[in-house]
Amino acid sequence: HVRSRRQRQMCIRDSIWKELRDTLNDSKMPMAVRVAAADGLGELGSSHSQETLLATLRDETAELEVRVAAVRALSRTVRSATR
């Protein structure tokens, strides 16, 4: 039971990451939604989230506000990893 519960949690976490990643990368989404997706990735704090946020930070075509949100979210993932 413990293993299956852990697997379900990992599957759910992965699904959340994919949704947030896709939302963040969708330039057709409103900027506020993309900023919220970056915040969500920061809360998720996984290594996949960090990679996604770094890619957004490096994306020169992303709006400045989205890139700033990625920096803030990335700093949360780093702080939580050091605790």
Side-chain angles (χ1 to χ4, degrees):
H1 291 304
V2 173
R3 185 175 193 148
S4 63
R5 185 172 67 200
R6 175 178 265 168
Q7 287 173 334
R8 282 193 306 267
Q9 288 173 339
M10 289 177 63
C11 185
I12 291 169
R13 190 176 177 96
D14 190 51
S15 178
I16 292 169
W17 166 73
K18 288 177 183 176
E19 287 294 324
L20 291 172
R21 177 203 61 197
D22 292 348
T23 300
L24 180 61
N25 291 333
D26 187 349
S27 62
K28 295 177 185 170
M29 285 285 189
M31 183 179 51
V33 173
R34 295 177 71 203
V35 167
D39 290 341
L41 286 165
E43 291 297 319
L44 199 56
S46 68
S47 61
H48 291 304
S49 295
Q50 290 175 345
E51 293 167 12
T52 302
L53 292 166
L54 282 171
T56 300
L57 179 59
R58 293 181 185 124
D59 180 2
E60 295 179 9
T61 65
E63 297 97 335
L64 178 61
E65 292 85 350
V66 173
R67 293 173 75 190
V68 169
V71 169
R72 283 194 310 262
L74 189 59
S75 72
R76 282 196 308 277
T77 66
V78 172
R79 278 196 307 250
S80 66
T82 59
R83 288 183 187 169

